[in-house]
Amino acid sequence: MEKQTNLITPLTRKFDKFSRQLLYIILGVAAFTLAVGLGYAEDLTAESINEVFEATIALAVSAIPEGLPAVVTVALAIGVSRMASRNAIIRKLPAVETLGSATVICSDKTGTLTENQMTVQQIYAGGQPYQVLGTGYAPEGNICRDNEAIDVDQHPSLTDCLRAGLLCNDSHLTQDEGLWKVLGDPTEGALLVSGRKAGFTLDQLNAELPRRDVIPFESDYQYMATLHRGQHRSEATIYMKGSVEAIVSRCGEALDAQGQPQPIDAQEIHHQAETMASSGLRVLALARKTVQQSELDHDDVKQGLVFLGLQGMIDPPRQEAIRAVEACKNAGIRVKMITGDHKVTASAIAAQMRLKRTGEVIAFTGAELGEMAQDDFVRAAEDGVVFARVAPEQKLRLVEALQSQGDIVAMTGDGVNDAPALKQADIGVAMGQSGTEVAKEASDMVLTDDNFASIEAAVEEGRTVYRNLIKAIAFILPVNGGESMTIVISVLLDRLLPILSLQVLWLNMINSIAMTVPLAFEPKSKQVMEQPPLSPDRPLLNKRLLQRILVISLFNWILIFGVFEWVQGWEQENTEALARTMAIQALVFGRVFYLISLSQIGISLGQKLRGRAVEVATAPVVWIGIAVTMVLQIFFSQVGFMNELFSTAPLNLEQWGICLLIGLPMVVVAALANRIDPPNQLS
């Protein structure tokens, strides 16, 4: 399935809708202003028409949030940088916010939720259970029966089971500076280690029985097979490993305790596998077949194999992943496990990961999903926590089913076959260490450490980015609203404009950006992962945010209009320029106080004043933004050529003080707005 290069996310959809709505409103109000202005004009002279067009242009300029696109880009870029520092590489910029809106995370178990370091703990061979001691990849530890170490050579069926695990294997065990590592698949690495604990080495076995052909593992078949023949032997041996279901169904015989073949007891083998799986062990079955050929095909392993045994290995859950899953649950995000493991094994791991829903782990196998009608499949996708032995095309169907219910889906994957599901997901997450290049190309984000905790961290940063963007909107729009109201009401009252179009452009482009960009650097709040995901259909401007914007806009209008009319009453030369300058500077002081109220500084100060034991945030970027703003405003009013360009007048110290005092009531108004729409919960 193809997916567009330009990523469509909840954020881009909301901004597109918001932009169109704002455009229609601005055009409508501008047309109304133009009509009213021309209606007031007694004689349509060139001068009167110019005045009306000046007002209309000033209105359009004041209403358009010119600085918003720059702030959005900066906020997303900062989010990318923060995610990269937390092991999540973003490949497509809008995907930063998509994670913050995620309602479901579909994650592979191996490596993402677990340590990805398998260790064989139990073996069932010749009808007898064995225990394997030792952890990790170090080949140290005994093989025991009834808690006593044994001589493996005295147990022929166990020997054959261990040899099969070594020979039917594409991985290698190496030692680097005293540390044992596996080059290849961790599951195969566990088989190498269990064989080494019994005294076997891969080089020795390969010398005795060199590999002649191989059938690589494929998820569709659930097994791998290799063909081996010694130099002076007429017969060849096929060794095979895979899922219990795939192997046992092809076996007619099994080795007994003395290593002799006898009719297979499939029911007992499945019982032993279930017992291992219920302890959270991943179980592999091993088998062999003697043949007279030199090539290997799927038809050669359809039947006639001899069952050798089971090896059960554990991949313990990552402790940080358990904490991350809990954080996601608190944030209203459902986590689903999609794995190639046995259903019982996956369910046991899910229970350890605390993935239970309604008190139990609801699990489905790929075979069960394949027999469901579409409606039942969608219900299973919604209700299920574990999906075991799932085919790649079923991963794609699971994503589509969840999306059909309105979910924002994040899907992890590492293989070539995962690419369609990664593309279909709202955000595809590829593994940086174990992932293929195809999976990475299909993804929107790459985890450098293959750790689920990094996904949770990325969600946290994504939510922070979104809330910082909403803060930016909550800051910019009230200023634009106040300016627009000032111009419209001035036209309706047939008064001089308190603010000119070029002055509005300065405020919206220079002043706004200098004061709004610091909001993009705001750190995450402690409540960011304690709130449910936002609905993808929820507009940028909801009721509470509109109320906030209206309250601040009204104050800004009163401030601009009031200061202009008041200063106009002074009997001074160039009163209009002075009145406009003081109105603008008073507005800027008010904006400074409003910026502080939206930032973590104001939030922590408010909590401190309410008697809470919190540390007042420093937020140096906000202070830098305020300092830059004040320097620019001094330049705006005190420099001669700027006075000529923007029709402003220089202010004395007393007038600066008056502007500061007039802007000070914004503290009270901002506190009222924060009660209507708390900054840390801006939606």
Side-chain angles (χ1 to χ4, degrees):
M1 180 175 178
E2 292 297 325
K3 193 174 186 180
Q4 292 181 343
T5 302
N6 283 334
L7 189 63
I8 303 299
T9 73
L11 179 68
T12 55
R13 287 195 294 266
K14 288 177 182 179
F15 264 108
D16 180 60
K17 185 177 180 180
F18 166 71
S19 301
R20 281 188 276 108
Q21 290 175 339
L22 189 62
L23 174 63
Y24 298 148
I25 293 171
I26 292 171
L27 289 175
V29 176
F32 172 74
T33 304
L34 179 63
V36 171
L38 292 175
Y40 275 133
E42 296 180 358
D43 298 314
L44 291 178
T45 62
E47 183 178 353
S48 64
I49 291 174
N50 283 339
E51 289 177 357
V52 173
F53 272 103
E54 167 79 15
T56 305
I57 292 170
L59 172 66
V61 172
S62 67
I64 298 172
E66 294 92 344
L68 191 56
V71 174
V72 171
T73 303
V74 170
L76 292 175
I78 292 169
V80 168
S81 175
R82 287 177 175 173
M83 288 183 183
S85 68
R86 301 182 74 173
N87 303 310
I89 306 299
I90 295 296
R91 299 184 64 250
K92 299 170 185 175
L93 195 59
V96 175
E97 179 271 339
T98 311
L99 267 171
S101 303
T103 58
V104 178
I105 300 175
C106 298
S107 178
D108 183 19
K109 177 181 78 68
T110 305
T112 312
L113 295 170
T114 57
E115 295 285 357
N116 204 25
Q117 192 172 84
M118 308 291 288
T119 304
V120 173
Q121 289 193 336
Q122 296 181 29
I123 299 176
Y124 176 78
Q128 298 178 345
Y130 299 90
Q131 301 82 44
V132 183
L133 305 183
T135 59
Y137 291 137
E140 300 168 357
N142 296 320
I143 298 179
C144 302
R145 177 134 191 270
D146 298 328
N147 298 320
E148 292 186 7
I150 62 168
D151 181 358
V152 175
D153 293 336
Q154 303 300 316
H155 298 262
S157 57
L158 174 61
T159 300
D160 280 343
C161 181
L162 293 168
R163 285 164 57 93
L166 282 161
L167 288 168
C168 188
N169 202 310
D170 282 333
S171 297
H172 297 277
L173 190 64
T174 63
Q175 191 175 21
D176 183 18
E177 297 181 357
L179 295 176
W180 289 91
K181 299 179 181 179
V182 167
L183 302 178
D185 183 73
T187 302
E188 292 189 329
L191 298 177
L192 295 177
V193 174
S194 65
R196 286 289 294 267
K197 288 177 181 178
F200 301 118
T201 64
L202 187 57
D203 291 340
Q204 173 192 353
L205 292 178
N206 280 333
E208 294 177 9
L209 289 173
R211 181 186 295 187
R212 303 301 183 183
D213 203 357
V214 62
I215 298 176
F217 177 85
E218 293 182 43
S219 57
D220 291 340
Y221 292 100
Q222 294 290 326
Y223 63 75
M224 171 186 176
T226 55
L227 178 69
H228 300 263
R229 185 200 296 270
Q231 291 184 355
H232 304 293
R233 298 186 182 184
S234 59
E235 294 180 335
T237 303
I238 297 173
Y239 285 105
M240 191 171 177
K241 75 171 189 295
S243 69
V244 178
E245 300 89 339
I247 301 300
V248 173
S249 64
R250 290 166 167 78
C251 295
E253 296 180 314
L255 296 185
D256 62 15
Q258 288 72 42
Q260 299 300 313
Q262 62 178 10
I264 189 169
D265 185 350
Q267 185 176 354
E268 175 61 20
I269 293 171
H270 283 292
H271 172 71
Q272 293 292 334
E274 291 275 348
T275 302
M276 288 185 184
S278 64
S279 301
L281 300 182
R282 174 183 290 185
V283 184
L284 284 182
L286 299 107
R288 75 176 183 208
K289 182 180 182 180
T290 302
V291 294
Q292 300 289 334
Q293 60 205 53
S294 57
E295 294 182 352
L296 189 58
D297 190 75
H298 288 288
D299 290 336
D300 300 322
V301 293
K302 281 186 175 181
Q303 58 184 0
L305 280 88
V306 177
F307 176 78
L308 301 178
L310 305 173
Q311 293 200 46
M313 58 201 72
I314 192 167
D315 186 9
R318 295 178 187 254
Q319 292 303 308
E320 65 271 26
I322 294 175
R323 291 190 293 270
V325 166
E326 191 65 26
C328 287
K329 289 170 67 177
N330 292 336
I333 303 170
R334 288 170 289 149
V335 180
K336 298 179 183 291
M337 179 192 295
I338 301 178
T339 176
D341 278 351
H342 190 280
K343 179 179 176 180
V344 177
T345 303
S347 297
I349 294 293
Q352 295 177 38
M353 298 294 304
R354 300 170 192 166
L355 288 177
K356 293 181 179 180
R357 188 179 183 189
T358 64
E360 61 178 326
V361 174
I362 302 174
F364 298 96
T365 65
E368 291 170 345
L369 293 174
E371 296 175 355
M372 292 181 182
Q374 182 59 26
D375 289 344
D376 294 333
F377 188 95
V378 172
R379 279 194 293 272
E382 281 288 314
D383 297 338
V385 172
V386 170
F387 300 92
R389 301 277 164 86
V390 174
E393 60 271 15
Q394 289 176 325
K395 283 188 178 183
L396 176 60
R397 285 189 65 197
L398 285 169
V399 174
E400 292 172 337
L402 291 167
Q403 289 174 329
S404 71
Q405 301 302 299
D407 284 308
I408 302 297
V409 183
M411 166 67 78
T412 69
D414 55 10
V416 174
N417 292 334
D418 293 331
L422 292 175
K423 279 190 174 184
Q424 178 62 32
D426 295 281
I427 180 158
V429 182
M431 302 299 107
Q433 296 178 351
S434 60
T436 62
E437 289 303 316
V438 174
K440 293 175 185 176
E441 283 297 319
S443 69
D444 307 307
M445 184 176 82
V446 178
L447 298 183
T448 58
D449 61 351
D450 293 8
N451 192 340
F452 183 86
S454 296
I455 301 178
E456 184 270 335
V459 170
E460 195 175 83
E461 294 296 344
R463 289 189 170 195
T464 300
V465 166
Y466 185 82
R467 276 158 177 74
N468 286 349
L469 288 175
I470 297 299
K471 283 185 182 181
I473 291 173
F475 180 78
I476 289 178
L477 292 191
V479 176
N480 291 49
E483 294 166 356
S484 302
M485 289 172 66
T486 301
I487 293 166
V488 171
I489 294 173
S490 297
V491 171
L492 290 175
L493 297 178
D494 197 21
R495 306 286 296 178
L496 285 173
L497 291 180
I499 187 168
L500 302 177
S501 56
L502 203 57
Q503 294 169 344
V504 169
L505 196 61
W506 167 271
L507 281 172
N508 288 4
M509 287 298 294
I510 307 300
N511 185 278
S512 283
I513 291 177
M515 297 182 75
T516 312
V517 166
L519 290 173
F521 289 86
E522 282 281 278
K524 69 180 188 304
S525 72
K526 293 181 179 179
Q527 295 82 30
V528 72
M529 290 299 283
E530 296 176 3
Q531 300 166 11
L534 294 175
S535 168
D537 299 324
R538 186 168 183 168
L540 281 175
L541 301 181
N542 59 60
K543 182 179 179 180
R544 287 190 305 158
L545 185 54
L546 284 171
Q547 289 174 342
R548 165 187 280 275
I549 291 171
L550 179 61
V551 168
I552 303 299
S553 296
L554 281 170
F555 178 79
N556 285 335
W557 166 67
I558 293 170
L559 190 151
I560 298 170
F561 197 81
V563 171
F564 179 75
E565 291 294 325
W566 177 54
V567 177
Q568 276 279 83
W570 298 358
E571 295 182 1
Q572 292 187 12
E573 294 183 5
N574 199 17
T575 307
E576 289 180 17
L578 178 64
R580 289 187 175 113
T581 305
M582 289 188 67
I584 290 171
Q585 301 295 33
L587 174 66
V588 170
F589 278 118
R591 294 178 78 177
V592 168
F593 294 126
Y594 183 47
L595 173 65
I596 292 173
S597 77
L598 277 175
S599 71
Q600 292 294 334
I601 302 171
I603 295 168
S604 58
L605 276 173
Q607 293 175 333
K608 194 82 171 177
L609 291 173
R610 287 194 291 270
R612 296 182 184 176
V614 295
E615 185 178 345
V616 177
T618 52
V621 179
V622 171
W623 293 120
I624 291 172
I626 291 172
V628 170
T629 295
M630 297 315 301
V631 169
L632 289 172
Q633 288 308 117
I634 292 171
F635 186 69
F636 175 73
S637 64
Q638 304 303 116
V639 176
F641 81 88
M642 293 292 285
N643 296 150
E644 294 182 12
L645 180 62
F646 289 99
S647 302
T648 56
L651 305 182
N652 58 38
L653 194 60
E654 181 184 358
Q655 290 165 340
W656 276 104
I658 292 172
C659 292
L660 174 61
L661 289 174
I662 292 172
L664 194 58
M666 174 61 85
V667 174
V668 178
V669 178
L672 174 62
N674 286 351
R675 288 184 66 85
I676 296 171
D677 200 20
N680 270 346
Q681 298 176 21
L682 288 174
S683 49

